[in-house]
Amino acid sequence: MSSLRPSPIAPTVDFDRDGVQHGFLRLPYSRDDSAWGSVMIPTCVIRNGKGPTALLTGGNHGDEYEGPLALYDLARTLDPKEVSGTVIIVPAMNYPAFRAGTRTSPIDKGNLNRSFPGRPDGTVTEKIADYFQRELLPRTDIALDFHSGGRTLDFVPFCAAHIRPDKVLEAKGFDAVEAFSAPWSMKMLEIDAVGMFDTAAEEMGKLFITTELGGGGTSRAETVRIARRGVLNVLRHAGIVSGAVEKVRTQWLDMPSGECFSFAEDDGMIETMVDLGEKVEEGQVLARIHSVGRTGVAPHEIRARMSGLLAARHFPGLVKAGDCAAVVAVLVG
Ligand SMILES: [Zn+2]
């Protein structure tokens, strides 16, 4: 690590200064329409003396909106007098992707959440990852990274932390998830954890929680309310914002194995047979994929590989072989 060159990103805020600062992570990006131009990633620091540091992020994927809606709002409204410590808010981490309304960056097709630890001399997306890896995560005590399903998935709204080898940190993660108070709370399993922001933070021994709050490339009134309440609750839970956590009853879910996931094996038109949040039995048909190239073809059925609750589904009406069609989670307690 020490042999890496410094990050090219220059913040226009001082992370150690008290008060409210609205500025940018300025990332030089030379291109046709701006020879000495930059990507300007909006960043807010709200600090009041010594205390823990929270890193609050949205827009890691550019087509997910609950996090950015809650975090632009928080940056505008959080009074430093209510804060003990530091709140760093980056509401649109992969800002080029966020501006394009796409999961990945239009500049380099980079998926920020598969680009960690990043590179200071890599693509624009890798440079963003590297800055979080080497500059922001080390000064963080608790990180909350908002996600939802984006254009291609939809979720029951949940806050999540991962099963971790360090059981003390794992318990702290689940406590923070409980404090967030989404209707559902998830012990989350990843399909592919390599390169994720989550993994980078956890390997550094940081407390890290995330969300999946909806999807379909938009937001809903309910899911945005959950995000706004959740972020304040996490700051209260961490002792950074004063006041009691506004607890709402949450139902815990677990993703015990890869059997949770069902993938499409055909292209076609998907028919959802179960709605989000409904209970399902092992073997039950979750969705049917209809062949559209000709008439007279029986649909292909996607069946639940375990009993539980439908936690996520493919969103658009058309599906391709390999797409994640459904996710079943197990009810805990
Ligand atoms: Zn995401």
Side-chain angles (χ1 to χ4, degrees):
M1 281 302 228
S2 56
S3 64
L4 289 175
R5 67 178 68 207
S7 172
I9 290 181
T12 69
V13 291
D14 178 347
F15 296 104
D16 299 312
R17 199 209 302 165
D18 276 355
V20 180
Q21 300 169 76
H22 298 287
F24 306 93
L25 306 178
R26 190 178 62 77
L27 166 53
Y29 171 44
S30 178
R31 56 198 193 269
D32 284 343
D33 69 343
S34 190
W36 286 8
S38 303
V39 173
M40 304 291 273
I41 303 168
T43 299
C44 171
V45 183
I46 301 170
R47 186 178 190 276
N48 184 11
K50 287 204 184 342
T53 295
L55 176 60
L56 308 175
T57 49
N60 182 334
H61 292 130
D63 60 349
E64 305 171 2
Y65 296 97
E66 284 81 0
L69 284 164
L71 294 178
Y72 278 104
D73 199 43
L74 184 72
R76 199 177 56 246
T77 55
L78 183 60
D79 184 340
K81 288 200 289 292
E82 296 173 53
V83 170
S84 307
T86 306
V87 181
I88 300 171
I89 304 171
V90 186
M93 267 177 110
N94 194 347
Y95 190 64
F98 181 71
R99 289 300 302 265
T102 51
R103 182 171 181 84
T104 63
S105 174
I107 296 171
D108 52 30
K109 291 291 164 196
N111 178 343
L112 181 57
N113 216 29
R114 299 293 182 276
S115 299
F116 281 80
R119 296 172 60 97
D121 55 359
T123 63
V124 164
T125 305
E126 287 170 334
K127 287 171 178 168
I128 295 171
D130 172 70
Y131 188 80
F132 278 83
Q133 174 83 32
R134 289 194 297 153
E135 302 293 338
L136 295 184
L137 277 179
R139 58 169 66 240
T140 296
D141 295 296
I142 180 166
L144 165 57
D145 186 36
F146 278 102
H147 288 260
S148 42
R151 293 185 191 190
T152 65
L153 290 170
D154 197 12
F155 287 86
V156 295
F158 65 78
C159 184
H162 295 110
I163 304 282
R164 297 176 67 162
D166 181 329
K167 293 301 165 191
V168 175
L169 279 172
E170 180 186 284
K172 284 186 179 174
F174 293 152
D175 284 350
V177 168
E178 184 101 24
F180 186 98
S181 285
W184 282 273
S185 297
M186 183 74 85
K187 298 181 178 182
M188 198 167 182
L189 178 74
E190 299 293 344
I191 295 177
D192 174 19
V194 174
M196 291 179 70
F197 184 34
D198 318 47
T199 308
E202 288 167 5
E203 284 178 352
M204 220 179 274
K206 301 297 181 181
L207 186 51
F208 187 95
I209 64 171
T210 184
T211 70
E212 296 290 358
L213 290 177
T218 186
S219 63
R220 290 184 285 120
E222 184 209 2
T223 54
V224 176
R225 277 196 297 270
I226 293 165
R228 289 195 171 130
R229 179 182 66 212
V231 67
L232 269 178
N233 272 345
V234 168
L235 291 174
R236 291 176 186 130
H237 173 76
I240 297 172
V241 165
S242 56
V245 170
E246 189 190 329
K247 275 259 168 112
V248 172
R249 213 176 74 82
T250 189
Q251 168 65 55
W252 276 91
L253 300 170
D254 190 9
M255 294 167 70
S257 76
E259 303 280 292
C260 295
F261 304 100
S262 295
F263 297 92
E265 297 185 358
D266 301 276
D267 293 2
M269 179 168 61
I270 191 164
E271 177 188 7
T272 299
M273 304 297 287
V274 175
D275 283 322
L276 286 176
E278 280 185 39
K279 288 185 182 170
V280 299
E281 298 296 328
E282 185 181 340
Q284 186 177 338
V285 177
L286 299 175
R288 303 200 296 176
I289 298 178
H290 297 268
S291 185
V292 293
R294 60 170 63 231
T295 58
V297 180
H300 175 79
E301 292 176 338
I302 294 178
R303 292 176 181 274
R305 297 160 72 198
M306 61 169 62
S307 298
L309 165 149
L310 188 71
R313 52 158 285 197
H314 183 77
F315 189 78
L318 296 180
V319 69
K320 301 179 299 304
D323 287 353
C324 181
V327 180
V328 172
V330 175
L331 288 148
V332 179

